[in-house]
Amino acid sequence: MAPASSLRARIHALLHFTEPSDAGRRWRALHLLVLGVGLSAVMLLSIEDLPLDARNGLRYAIGVVAVLFFVEYVVRLWTAPETSRYGESSATMARLHWAISLPGLIGLLATVPVFMWLAGYRIVDSDAASVFCVLWILKLGMHAPALGTLARVVSNERAPIAGVIVLFFIVLVIAATAAHLLERVRQPEAFGSLPNALWWAVVTLTTTGYGDVVPLTVGGRMVGSVLMISGITVLAIMTGVLATGFAQEERRREYLRVWQQVARVPIFAALGVVTLSEIVGKLRTRYYPSRIVIVRRGDPGDSMFFISSGEVEVRLPNGGVVRLGEGAFFGEMALLERQPRSATVATTKPTTLLVLYASDFYEIASHIPALAEAVENEAKRRREENVERTSGEPKR
Ligand code: CMP
């Protein structure tokens, strides 16, 4: 039972693109490749005068892609009980929940060609095949986790977004009515009815401006001018609302990420929740692959780092190397002594760091003397160790 479930958990992590390993990267690349082949085949099949051989090849490619998506759907269904939000449900209920969720329905839609084939339809008709384009492009969303963030932003900011949309409609209807009244005599076809005038207003307010309908009277042009300026304003407000929402959501997510990581750093363990929450608000998580230089000897120091997972090596000027693992910190000496970096520090394996910028470090050090003292003591110990190493008397 246990091995089966751990295998299922591993496959689940891999399929959901949460696996940062090489296997995860390869799976993501393969998935994108299959998707790309499928979409290209569908698009090419819509070209009317294609030779028969090419058509057959494309149909074959579409069939293979559809079967692969079918296999993927079945495996995803099997691993659904590993989804954390279905943790309380039984395996069957978890699968049912997943099957009727948005990703489940998108996965099922992508397998439609297989069901068509099983039901006896041939993927001959390019019109029918072109629909797969719509079904498959939705799968691309799985490669963009930021879409989930976008959904949360829209949900969080629904009140201001609704306000902007209402404002849009108010401006639209007022402008269309005014244009209808001012232009209908000179241009009965374009402005004779409110729906026609609304078309012009939508094209103008969204700053699209096809130019198919243009106001001719002075009054109509004045309405048009106000509408164009309003269009830019409304779009700018919408952009501002979404951009602020994104920034807030990202700050919230980062705050939660840091809370999860901070527990692994012993120097923070003794701090109370209030003090800790102050620090957490100032830390940023950064992920580094193996063999990346984080700080270089001689560079000015603008931040210090806490290792929440992974390992780094400190390359000392005397040629010595010190390895620092989970829970350790580095980069404090340049901040304390206001000197350039004393050594080069590079990752030896994939590493997640918590970064504290210099201005925040000085502020925290003045607020939380216990933390400042612990950092200073370690810096002092390192300095002495480096002096001893340089003078050829290694301590350990
Ligand atoms: P800084 O000088 O800002 O940048 C290089 C960092 O390497 C330094 O701060 C320390 O955090 C770290 N470092 C220097 N010497 C040692 C040592 N002997 N042991 C562990 N870390 C060290």
Side-chain angles (χ1 to χ4, degrees):
M1 179 72 190
S5 115
S6 70
L7 174 73
R8 198 174 67 185
R10 286 223 318 272
I11 295 179
H12 178 268
L14 195 71
L15 283 182
H16 287 78
F17 306 131
T18 48
E19 188 82 54
S21 62
D22 282 351
R25 265 196 298 278
R26 273 198 289 273
W27 158 243
R28 277 197 293 273
L30 181 74
H31 195 265
L32 273 176
L33 181 75
V34 171
L35 203 54
V37 168
L39 288 171
S40 311
V42 169
M43 285 187 186
L44 291 174
L45 197 63
S46 70
I47 299 173
E48 289 291 329
D49 45 1
L50 220 55
L52 193 66
D53 281 356
R55 280 191 164 275
N56 284 337
L58 292 174
R59 278 183 212 125
Y60 182 73
I62 292 173
V64 170
V65 169
V67 169
L68 289 176
F69 285 159
F70 181 72
V71 174
E72 185 198 353
Y73 179 78
V74 173
V75 179
R76 277 182 190 272
L77 194 63
W78 173 61
T79 62
E82 302 295 335
T83 312
S84 55
R85 65 173 177 279
Y86 306 144
E88 301 290 297
S89 323
S90 67
T92 314
M93 283 310 287
R95 289 190 181 114
L96 196 68
H97 276 306
W98 181 79
I100 56 173
S101 70
L102 189 63
L105 292 173
I106 290 175
L108 185 66
L109 282 175
T111 65
V112 163
V114 176
F115 291 115
M116 282 176 67
W117 176 73
L118 287 176
Y121 291 103
R122 285 188 62 215
I123 310 166
V124 251
D125 184 357
S126 64
D127 283 349
S130 60
V131 177
F132 307 152
C133 216
V134 178
L135 304 183
W136 287 349
I137 195 75
L138 294 175
K139 281 178 90 74
L140 200 59
M142 292 180 345
H143 291 271
L147 284 183
T149 312
L150 178 64
R152 266 190 302 280
V153 169
V154 171
S155 163
N156 293 345
E157 305 295 325
R158 57 189 175 278
I161 290 174
V164 177
I165 292 173
V166 168
L167 178 67
F168 180 89
F169 278 108
I170 290 173
V171 175
L172 197 70
V173 172
I174 292 177
T177 311
H180 166 64
L181 295 174
L182 292 163
E183 293 282 329
R184 68 184 159 168
V185 178
R186 279 193 69 179
Q187 303 188 71
E189 273 196 11
F191 290 95
S193 68
L194 263 180
N196 278 352
L198 268 173
W199 166 249
W200 166 79
V202 170
V203 170
T204 310
L205 187 60
T206 55
T207 71
T208 308
Y210 288 131
D212 54 343
V213 187
V214 181
L216 297 177
T217 66
V218 175
R221 284 184 175 172
M222 282 168 72
V223 172
S225 310
V226 173
L227 195 57
M228 283 182 256
I229 294 165
S230 309
I232 296 169
T233 313
V234 170
L235 290 181
I237 296 174
M238 187 63 107
T239 312
V241 167
L242 288 176
T244 317
F246 255 112
Q248 278 171 353
E249 180 64 21
E250 193 38 52
R251 223 171 297 142
R252 258 195 297 271
R253 282 158 63 96
E254 178 67 0
Y255 192 77
L256 289 177
R257 264 199 298 266
V258 174
W259 262 118
Q260 285 163 359
Q261 314 272 347
V262 102
R264 299 186 192 156
V265 182
I267 199 167
F268 298 132
L271 303 176
V273 176
V274 178
T275 318
L276 200 54
S277 65
E278 190 192 335
I279 296 178
V280 166
K282 298 193 185 316
L283 291 167
R284 299 282 170 267
T285 49
R286 292 280 178 276
Y287 172 80
Y288 294 92
S290 186
R291 307 195 167 280
I292 297 290
V293 172
I294 314 286
V295 302
R296 205 176 287 278
R297 184 170 164 243
D299 281 355
D302 61 352
S303 47
M304 71 170 289
F305 308 84
F306 301 88
I307 305 172
S308 80
S309 69
E311 189 189 64
V312 298
E313 63 178 22
V314 181
R315 297 175 195 155
L316 298 168
N318 62 6
V321 170
V322 179
R323 292 198 170 213
L324 300 174
E326 184 176 312
F329 59 83
F330 62 92
E332 79 293 351
M333 286 163 84
L335 302 192
L336 288 170
E337 294 159 14
R338 298 181 193 255
Q339 294 279 328
R341 297 289 189 199
S342 61
T344 295
V345 183
T347 55
T348 55
K349 51 168 97 157
T351 300
T352 305
L353 298 175
L354 294 169
V355 185
L356 182 64
Y357 290 106
S359 54
D360 293 328
F361 170 79
Y362 295 129
E363 196 190 322
I364 285 174
S366 64
H367 278 177
I368 313 165
L371 186 75
E373 202 183 314
V375 173
E376 271 168 26
N377 286 344
E378 180 61 13
K380 189 164 163 251
R381 190 196 66 74
R382 288 175 178 176
R383 216 173 298 123
E384 285 167 6
E385 185 181 291
N386 293 351
V387 171
E388 282 169 16
R389 276 170 181 263
T390 316
S391 57
E393 298 165 27
K395 204 176 180 179
R396 282 182 283 181

